Amino acid sequence: MGLVQQGIHIATNPNCAKWIAPLLLVGDAVLCGLVIWKIPYTEIDWKAYMEQVKLFDAGERDYLKIRGGTGPLVYPAAHVYIYKALYSVTDHGADIRLAQIIFAVLYLSTLAIVMACYRLAKVSYGL
């Protein structure tokens, strides 16, 4: 069996999931760590979310008055509560590196659950 055929076999055989899933997860964790460590932070909406949470934290409950740098708050209350928790643990949004680590852990946890579901369903990971 050639190298390409062996790769296709590994990617499409559900029996390989028990050892390929942990390798993929570790590889993804390494990539997440490298991205957080080496790639400069790019501002998208973090500051706006923190501005909105600051208003919410100060007692504002009128969605029309809760605004940030990108405009008014348009997300449901669950979004506000999630970012309020992040606001609290990241020194009012100042510790962006910690927020990135939290998001990486959340992403990797979700990925691990999805991989476990694939394995239990005996579904291949690729192709």
Side-chain angles (χ1 to χ4, degrees), residues 19-38:
W19 61 270
I20 196 74
L23 291 176
L24 290 171
L25 196 59
V26 167
D28 221 340
V30 168
L31 287 174
C32 284
L34 286 172
V35 166
I36 292 169
W37 179 42
K38 289 288 190 181

Side-chain angles (χ1 to χ4, degrees), residues 5 17 36 42 53 57-59 61 79 90-91 95 102-103 115:
Q5 289 84 7
I36 292 169
T42 302
V53 168
D57 211 29
R61 297 298 183 265
H79 170 86
T90 60
D91 190 27
D95 192 348
I102 291 168
F103 277 113
M115 287 178 165

